[in-house]
Amino acid sequence: MAYTCEIELRPDHVRAAIAGSGTVEEFISMVQWLGARSVTWRSSVLLVDLRGVETVYTFTEQLMIGRAVGVNLRHLRRHAAVVRAERITHVGEKAAQHEGSPLRVFADEKEAAAWLFETD
C-alpha cells in the first residue's frame, strides 16, 4: 500500500496518522481499512493526522475521498482531520457531511482535539 497508518488508542479517543503518496484509489482503500478497524474500537472519537500525505488531490478526487470518509466513518460519534493549512478546501469535509459523517477539518491538532470533545 502506498500509504501507512499508525494508530494510537488513547484513553479518550483514537489518533491515526496517515502518511505517504499514492493514487486516489489507494487513499480510499486506506479510508476503507480505517473504517473497518474503527468498528472494534472502544472510542467513537477519531483524530486523523493527514499532514504526512504528500499527494495533492484534485477537486473531483477530494469529493471521492469525502464520500468514502462519509460512508466508512459515519458510525463514529465525531472525527476530525488535521491537514496542512494550505490544503484546506472543505470539499471533502462537505462531501463527508453530506453522507452523514460528523467530520471537521483543521490545520491545528489542538483545535481539532478541542472540537472533538465539545458538547453538542
Side-chain angles (χ1 to χ4, degrees):
M1 198 175 271
Y3 289 98
T4 61
C5 183
E6 292 183 20
I7 297 174
E8 183 181 349
L9 302 174
R10 296 182 175 180
D12 56 352
H13 72 287
V14 176
R15 184 182 187 280
I18 298 175
S21 179
T23 66
V24 68
E25 292 82 10
E26 290 169 323
F27 192 87
I28 289 172
S29 289
M30 177 59 72
V31 170
Q32 292 167 336
W33 178 85
L34 193 59
R37 290 269 190 197
S38 67
V39 298
T40 65
W41 298 337
R42 290 183 184 184
S43 178
S44 62
V45 178
L46 171 64
L47 187 144
V48 181
D49 184 350
L50 298 172
R51 292 173 289 188
V53 172
E54 296 299 323
T55 307
V56 177
Y57 292 106
T58 67
F59 178 88
T60 302
E61 291 169 332
Q62 291 176 43
L63 279 175
M64 293 168 60
I65 291 168
R67 287 183 186 132
V69 167
V71 168
N72 290 280
L73 297 174
R74 72 173 138 214
H75 61 278
L76 296 173
R77 185 175 63 79
R78 268 195 178 174
H79 54 104
V82 181
V83 302
R84 297 179 207 166
E86 67 274 12
R87 292 198 178 176
I88 293 179
T89 64
H90 300 289
V91 172
E93 177 182 22
K94 290 175 185 173
Q97 290 170 355
H98 183 74
E99 294 293 333
S101 191
L103 169 69
R104 291 263 322 261
V105 175
F106 298 87
D108 181 82
E109 189 164 342
K110 287 182 184 179
E111 288 178 19
W115 176 78
L116 285 173
F117 299 106
E118 281 181 1
T119 55
D120 294 325

